[in-house]
């Protein structure tokens, strides 16, 4: 991989710079920005209102799964990708290998990287180079209904053994109720849980990709959740589906595992639940050594086609580090996204109406969880294809014709030829 990245880097550096200064003399530099993130228009409006030398022309594109990444890839092949694009963490390595995302190190001012959560920046850096800057990092937590835990005399589980015991206790007390849901349409959940347990699905060594979606921590997590499914201790349904929303609103589902961003989604999905929900740490395998994974999060990159890379970086830095940018984004509606820049956490904290969580400072919990995110997790170079394969297997497992572990093995088996077909050296184990 490093060899591939090095070649892409040389090409991109050759294309970098030059046009910006000549254009500046004739008026503001216009850069293009594509994003599916809510609140991006408000961010662009505020940037354009407060900046005179650079203006951003914004285009809202579909989210990645709905065609946004296809649009970006097609534009890059045609040589007209936008100056700045939003890319989620799992998809970034693929855009680096394809040469779409630039090496940003020549553009990032000294001292800037220190502003970001190391775990977030670690996910945007490959081979010693930084290819995007993160907007948010989303540590996984456990959301639960305080009133129903009290009603059924449940204790918030702090370990995964306790989680299973609590699920059994709940089903006995309320046969229709379940402690949480397993989402077969969301590979990010099983990935984040495996990440927490110490799995390392992808890595690089000696210019070779290491692929292991069947390592011991992953098997432990897959086997654990398979037993929960087999014993009917959790609900199996699509994330954000009508069934999930109905279960949350009725109180038949009393808990929810997801990233920090999901607090805002929960507030929208269950308005009558105001004052009833709380946030707890994700249960642990080893409470003496707490660890977490993440689910969700987005980054911004300057593309290879940018004619104004320095101005594009100026916009990215403002988006990710300036309090006014975050305030503008939050003005678009409720959001609990956890900033990748710790200095911005108070801004997000101040904007959050904590009455939904009974006055709990949920950002304090997000901070504690973010501090224990395991480092050195790496996403693979073709995660859209991997995701498709795994989710097909998870759907079979949910229907009783397979297992979570077999879904992950099938994902690995399908990923291996996909990587070699694009010329990557891969060790699978």
């Amino acid at each position: 991989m490093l060899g591939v990245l090095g070649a892409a880097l040389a090409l991109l550096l050759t294309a970098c710079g030059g046009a910006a200064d000549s254009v500046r003399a004739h008026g503001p530099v216009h850069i293009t920005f594509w994003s599916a993130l809510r609140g991006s228009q408000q961010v662009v409006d505020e940037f354009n209102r407060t900046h005179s030398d650079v203006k951003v022309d914004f285009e809202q594109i579909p989210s990645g799964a709905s065609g946004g990444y296809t649009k970006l890839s097609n534009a890059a092949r045609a040589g007209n990708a936008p100056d700045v694009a939003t890319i989620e963490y799992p998809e970034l390595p693929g855009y680096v290998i394809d040469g779409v995302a630039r090496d940003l190190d020549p553009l990032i001012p000294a001292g800037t990287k220190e502003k970001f959560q190391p775990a977030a920046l670690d996910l945007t850096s490959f081979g010693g180079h930084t290819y995007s800057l993160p907007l948010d990092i989303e540590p996984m937590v456990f959301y639960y209904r305080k009133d129903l835990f009290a009603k059924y005399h449940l204790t918030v589980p702090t370990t995964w053994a306790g989680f299973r015991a609590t699920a059994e206790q709940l089903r006995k007390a309320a046969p229709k109720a379940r402690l949480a849901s397993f989402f077969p349409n969301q590979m990010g959940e099983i990935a984040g849980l495996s990440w927490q347990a110490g799995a390392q699905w992808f890595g690089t060594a000696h210019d070779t990709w290491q692929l292991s979606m069947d390592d011991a921590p992953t098997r432990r997590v897959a086997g654990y959740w398979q037993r929960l499914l087999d014993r009917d201790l959790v609900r199996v349904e699509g994330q954000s589906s009508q069934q999930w929303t109905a279960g949350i609103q009725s109180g038949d589902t009393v808990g929810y595992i997801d990233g920090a961003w999901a607090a805002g989604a929960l507030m929208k999905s269950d308005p009558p639940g105001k004052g009833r929900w709380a946030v707890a740490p994700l249960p642990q395998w080893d409470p003496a050594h707490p660890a977490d994974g993440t689910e969700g999060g987005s980054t911004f990159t300057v593309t290879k086609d940018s004619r104004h890379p320095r101005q594009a970086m100026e916009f990215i830095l403002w988006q990710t580090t300036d309090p006014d940018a975050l305030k503008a984004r939050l003005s678009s509606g409720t959001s609990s996204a956890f900033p990748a820049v710790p200095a911005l956490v108070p801004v997000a904290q101040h904007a959050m109406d904590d009455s939904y969580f009974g006055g709990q400072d949920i950002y304090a919990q997000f901070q504690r969880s973010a501090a224990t995110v395991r480092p050195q997790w790496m996403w693979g170079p073709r995660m859209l294809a991997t995701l498709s394969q795994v989710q097909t297997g998870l759907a079979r497992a949910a229907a009783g014709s397979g297992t979570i572990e077999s879904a992950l093995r099938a994902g690995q088996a399908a990923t291996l030829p996909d990587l070699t077909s694009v010329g990557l050296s891969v060790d699978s184990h």
Side-chain angles (χ1 to χ4, degrees):
M1 176 189 180
L2 303 185
V4 175
L5 292 179
L9 171 64
L11 176 65
L12 296 176
L13 287 178
T14 300
C16 179
D21 294 337
S22 63
V23 176
R24 186 183 291 274
H26 299 89
V29 170
H30 280 256
I31 62 171
T32 52
F33 171 44
W34 289 4
S35 181
L37 290 178
R38 186 169 58 82
S40 293
Q41 185 63 64
Q42 286 81 354
V43 171
V44 169
D45 289 346
E46 182 64 11
F47 182 87
N48 286 340
R49 188 184 71 79
T50 56
H51 292 71
S52 56
D53 291 343
V54 181
K55 297 297 181 184
V56 178
D57 300 321
F58 173 58
E59 182 176 342
Q60 186 91 30
I61 62 172
S63 65
S66 302
Y69 289 132
T70 301
K71 180 180 174 70
L72 178 60
S73 296
N74 289 342
R77 278 193 285 272
N80 56 12
D83 294 283
V84 177
T86 301
I87 300 177
E88 294 162 290
Y89 290 108
E91 281 70 38
L92 181 60
Y95 283 106
V96 173
I97 287 174
D98 290 344
V100 177
R102 287 178 183 253
D103 177 2
L104 302 185
D105 284 330
L107 304 171
I108 298 175
T112 299
K113 291 184 183 179
E114 286 74 8
K115 297 179 179 179
F116 291 84
Q117 283 268 5
L121 204 58
D122 194 42
L123 293 168
T124 66
S125 303
F126 310 96
H129 299 278
T130 306
Y131 288 89
S132 67
L133 288 180
L135 173 67
D136 55 342
I137 182 168
E138 306 294 343
M140 296 180 80
V141 293
F142 177 52
Y143 303 92
Y144 68 99
R145 280 280 298 268
K146 291 181 296 184
D147 56 330
L148 297 178
F149 265 60
K151 177 180 179 180
Y152 299 125
H153 308 290
L154 305 177
T155 301
V156 179
T158 58
T159 66
W160 286 113
F163 187 87
R164 182 171 58 236
T166 303
E168 291 170 344
Q169 183 183 346
L170 173 63
R171 199 181 66 168
K172 288 178 182 175
K176 284 181 58 180
R178 296 294 181 270
L179 184 57
S181 301
F182 178 78
F183 302 124
N185 67 337
Q186 180 51 272
M187 189 193 74
E189 181 179 56
I190 197 70
L193 293 170
S194 300
W195 179 348
Q196 182 210 22
Q200 187 73 56
W201 286 4
F202 294 90
T204 57
H206 310 295
D207 285 352
T208 297
W209 277 92
Q210 309 295 312
L211 174 58
S212 179
M213 298 174 66
D214 189 33
D215 58 12
T218 302
R219 289 197 300 275
R220 183 181 195 184
V221 171
Y224 174 88
W225 281 89
Q226 187 64 51
R227 286 189 289 277
L228 294 181
L229 266 60
D230 293 343
R231 297 175 187 177
D232 191 23
L233 293 176
V234 293
R235 218 170 288 289
V236 181
E237 55 202 357
Q239 187 179 41
S240 303
S241 64
Q242 289 184 345
Q243 296 94 325
W244 176 78
T245 303
I248 288 288
Q249 291 182 347
S250 68
D252 286 342
T253 305
V254 307
Y256 174 28
I257 293 172
D258 215 319
W261 65 268
L266 191 56
M267 295 164 73
K268 295 171 191 169
S269 299
D270 184 24
K274 183 176 181 178
R276 299 173 178 172
W277 286 90
V279 185
L282 198 63
Q284 297 291 315
W285 293 105
D286 180 2
H289 301 90
D292 283 286
T294 77
E295 185 175 1
S298 296
T299 76
F300 300 111
T301 193
V302 181
T303 74
K304 67 178 179 61
D305 295 330
S306 176
R307 295 180 60 243
H308 311 295
R310 300 196 183 282
Q311 287 76 12
M313 175 52 67
E314 179 182 346
F315 175 56
I316 290 176
L317 287 174
W318 187 82
Q319 274 208 83
T320 53
T321 65
D322 196 297
D324 289 338
L326 181 55
K327 291 175 185 173
R329 185 174 298 283
L330 294 174
S331 71
S332 67
T334 301
S335 170
S336 60
F338 188 72
V341 171
L344 295 185
V345 172
V347 178
Q349 242 168 343
H350 180 72
M352 171 58 63
D353 175 9
D354 61 11
S355 64
Y356 188 86
F357 294 93
Q360 180 185 4
D361 183 357
I362 61 173
Y363 275 85
Q365 179 54 57
F366 296 159
Q367 278 183 302
R368 288 190 290 271
S369 297
T372 57
V373 171
R374 281 188 185 274
Q376 298 182 330
W377 173 270
M378 180 180 285
W379 293 103
R382 288 291 182 268
M383 286 310 298
L384 285 177
T386 303
L387 178 149
S388 175
Q389 290 292 335
V390 171
Q391 289 185 177
T392 297
L394 292 179
R396 292 195 185 102
S401 59
T403 65
I404 298 171
E405 188 172 343
S406 67
L408 293 169
R409 283 201 303 269
Q412 173 163 329
T415 299
L416 179 61
D418 190 43
L419 300 190
T420 56
S421 69
V422 293
L424 298 177
S425 174
V426 185
D427 277 345
S428 177
H429 48 87

